[in-house]
Amino acid sequence: MANNGGNLGWRRVVRAFGYSMKGFRACYELEEAFRQELFLLIPLVPLGLWLGETPVERALLVGSLLVVPIVELLNSAIEANVDRIGMERHELSGRAKDIASAAVFSSITLCVVIWALLLVPKLF
């Protein structure tokens, strides 16, 4: 059984946190879409907290927003992995990138649908 290089208990948690922060930093620095999504979170998270009338509504409004950058992180990881293998065009590489992009689009669509379902009835 592997021992994670001697990193057990809290040391492993601290190292994992450091790797996560490194991943956030890399995605922020290298991916324009990730930066745009984070900047949209700044006004939209407080707006979702304000517009939600119940804890469940607030959770849906804010949670749907947070899904988008999470999926963007996964998309960026897939793209980086495909690009590491090689920059030549390959059908499977293109498919992997397209599917990851479709996941981002789907998360944005989910967010828009949730916001519309919760907020449009309040307008009418």
Side-chain angles (χ1 to χ4, degrees):
M1 187 161 156
N3 69 1
N4 291 326
N7 293 322
L8 301 173
W10 284 106
R11 181 176 291 177
R12 187 194 64 75
V13 172
V14 169
R15 290 246 170 125
F17 178 78
Y19 296 141
S20 296
M21 293 304 102
K22 188 176 178 182
F24 277 122
R25 191 176 321 107
C27 201
Y28 183 83
E29 291 173 358
L30 300 171
E31 300 294 337
E32 177 69 20
F34 185 71
R35 287 192 299 273
Q36 291 170 343
E37 292 157 3
L38 289 183
F39 289 134
L40 282 173
L41 287 179
I42 294 169
L44 290 178
V45 166
L47 185 63
L49 292 171
W50 182 64
L51 291 174
E53 293 179 4
T54 68
V56 172
E57 285 186 358
R58 288 190 288 275
L60 285 168
L61 292 170
V62 173
S64 66
L65 291 170
L66 296 177
V67 167
V68 175
I70 291 169
V71 176
E72 186 67 52
L73 286 164
L74 295 170
N75 176 48
S76 297
I78 290 167
E79 287 184 353
N81 203 10
V82 168
D83 290 346
R84 185 215 177 270
I85 293 169
M87 296 305 289
E88 69 278 354
R89 292 178 97 47
H90 189 281
E91 178 186 345
L92 293 176
S93 297
R95 187 183 312 158
K97 287 184 168 191
D98 291 347
I99 292 169
S101 178
V104 173
F105 177 79
S106 297
S107 70
I108 293 168
T109 302
L110 173 68
C111 185
V112 169
V113 167
I114 288 172
W115 278 66
L117 288 172
L118 289 175
L119 300 180
V120 168
K122 294 177 184 189
L123 298 174
F124 299 104

